[in-house]
């Protein structure tokens, strides 16, 4: 794998659910921040034990969703394309992410189309290209602009279910051939397109999807997951992967799990064409 060994995480110092911008969030359900902190630390340790390096972006007061670093932008080839977050509650997160990237020598490539895009949460590496979600949080025009500005090939996939509002809630690439696919969130017309790209998909059942099994992180041959069924574990092990489960129940109250809490910093892509098929 040409990526998956360097991640950016942000501690849950101010994590909370104070507004509802997806169907998982309910501001009346309390968050246990001490438990969230233990879960976050366990996740960071699990990634490091699997062989990853984790950098930490300091948390900021009044930005309860800033823990979900996947949404801060897309990182590839040492370039950072800052997100244009859809909800105003999260928009102030961007300046902090941009500053961190500048301080850590990433080039900044702004996307200036009017449309929104929610970073790597909606844009995942597949081989040396990207698969991006649109229709929920991200606008297809943003991915067109990103492809035009960077030369990266981006395959846009339309998402239709408000519960599975980012591409990392429908897809988890594992290596150049294998990926976990959670089909419910994908527009019926686009599901064949997605499955055509993935040589060997592990297609989740609705129950497995609701447990966020697609929102996982692969580090070498270890898949760090928020939950795992025996069926999924068996298939992954046939493919040579071992599973580490980290409970992130507090973060699921905000509609995010393992993948959303990380941003890959080491993705390498080809730079050739524009938008993929
Ligand atoms: N509460 C956050 C939001 O709705 C959760 C983000 C989850 N991130 C992800 N990459 N799926 O924006």
């Amino acid at each position: 794998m040409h990526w998956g060994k360097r991640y950016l995480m942000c501690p849950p110092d101010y994590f909370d659910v104070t507004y509802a911008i997806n169907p998982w969030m309910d501001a009346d359900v309390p968050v246990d921040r001490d438990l969230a902190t233990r879960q976050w630390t366990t996740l960071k340790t699990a990634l490091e034990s699997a062989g990853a390096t984790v950098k930490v972006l300091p948390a900021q007061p009044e930005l309860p969703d800033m823990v979900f670093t996947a949404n801060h932008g897309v990182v590839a080839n040492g370039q950072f394309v800052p997100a244009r977050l859809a909800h105003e509650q999260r928009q102030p997160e961007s300046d902090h992410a941009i500053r961190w990237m500048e301080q850590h020598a990433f080039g900044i490539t702004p996307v200036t189309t009017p449309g929104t895009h929610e970073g790597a949460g909606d844009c995942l590496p597949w081989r040396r290209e990207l698969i991006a979600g649109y229709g929920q949080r991200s606008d297809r025009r943003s991915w067109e602009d990103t492809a035009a500005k960077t030369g990266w090939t981006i395959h846009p996939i339309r998402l239709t279910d408000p519960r599975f509002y980012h591409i990392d809630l429908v897809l988890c690439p594992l290596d150049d051939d294998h990926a976990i696919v959670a089909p419910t969130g994908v527009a019926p017309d686009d599901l064949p397109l997605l499955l055509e790209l993935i040589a060997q998909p592990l297609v989740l059942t609705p129950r497995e999807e609701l447990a966020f099994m697609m929102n996982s992180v692969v580090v070498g041959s270890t898949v760090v997951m928020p939950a795992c069924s025996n069926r999924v574990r068996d298939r992954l092990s046939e493919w040579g992967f071992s599973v580490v489960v980290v409970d992130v129940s507090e973060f699921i109250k905000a509609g995010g799990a393992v993948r959303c809490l990380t941003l890959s910093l080491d993705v390498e892509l080809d730079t050739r064409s524009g938008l993929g098929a």
Side-chain angles (χ1 to χ4, degrees):
M1 273 282 273
H2 52 276
W3 60 269
K5 291 281 162 69
R6 287 172 58 216
Y7 291 94
L8 180 65
M9 293 178 69
C10 173
D13 301 353
Y14 305 100
F15 172 63
D16 206 345
V17 177
T18 55
Y19 49 78
I21 55 172
N22 68 56
W24 306 90
M25 299 176 90
D26 179 348
D28 292 333
V29 173
V31 164
D32 180 340
R33 198 176 288 152
D34 289 341
L35 178 57
T37 302
R38 289 199 296 279
Q39 292 177 340
W40 184 89
T41 306
T42 305
L43 173 60
K44 180 170 177 284
T45 306
L47 296 172
E48 289 166 343
S49 307
T53 309
V54 178
K55 299 267 187 210
V56 174
L57 168 70
Q60 298 294 329
E62 286 164 51
L63 294 176
D65 273 333
M66 195 170 162
V67 278
F68 298 111
T69 50
N71 296 125
H72 291 158
V74 183
V75 180
N77 301 354
Q79 287 294 308
F80 179 62
V81 179
R84 295 165 63 83
L85 290 152
H87 293 96
E88 61 172 13
Q89 293 96 327
R90 294 198 64 185
Q91 284 163 1
E93 294 174 29
S94 281
D95 285 346
H96 301 287
I98 292 171
R99 199 164 320 125
W100 190 93
M101 290 292 167
E102 281 170 348
Q103 284 164 356
H104 291 79
F106 287 85
I108 311 293
T109 306
V111 165
T112 46
T113 42
T116 59
H117 79 83
E118 296 215 331
D122 237 347
C123 192
L124 291 171
W126 178 249
R127 300 190 166 191
R128 297 183 73 90
E129 301 176 346
L130 293 162
I131 300 180
Y134 72 96
Q136 295 291 316
R137 295 292 183 83
S138 302
D139 189 315
R140 194 185 156 110
R141 286 172 303 171
S142 280
W143 298 131
E144 285 164 6
D145 197 8
T146 304
K149 290 228 165 69
T150 56
W152 304 336
T153 298
I154 304 182
H155 302 271
I157 295 290
R158 193 159 71 87
L159 306 181
T160 47
D161 187 320
R163 293 170 303 167
F164 305 115
Y165 52 92
H166 283 137
I167 199 83
D168 68 5
L169 296 171
V170 309
L171 177 69
C172 178
L174 298 171
D175 62 19
D176 280 352
D177 297 309
H178 303 93
I180 301 173
V181 175
T184 301
V186 181
D189 283 355
D190 281 20
L191 190 55
L193 290 178
L194 179 61
L195 293 175
E196 212 168 281
L197 287 169
I198 312 294
Q200 298 209 57
L202 195 176
V203 179
L204 298 185
T205 64
R207 255 180 101 130
E208 292 164 347
E209 292 179 325
L210 291 173
F212 280 72
M213 288 182 206
M214 59 293 186
N215 200 253
S216 299
V217 171
V218 64
V219 182
S221 61
T222 305
V223 189
V224 182
M225 306 181 72
C228 189
S229 61
N230 289 337
R231 186 190 81 92
V232 167
R233 192 185 298 265
D234 288 349
R235 178 70 69 81
L236 291 174
S237 117
E238 271 165 38
W239 287 348
F241 294 100
S242 60
V243 170
V244 174
V245 170
V246 178
D247 182 13
V248 289
S249 57
E250 292 313 293
F251 300 99
I252 289 179
K253 293 176 180 172
V258 166
R259 184 62 180 234
C260 313
L261 291 166
T262 66
L263 174 62
S264 313
L265 297 176
D266 58 356
V267 173
E268 292 293 331
L269 303 175
D270 290 338
T271 44
R272 288 186 235 114
S273 40
L275 216 58

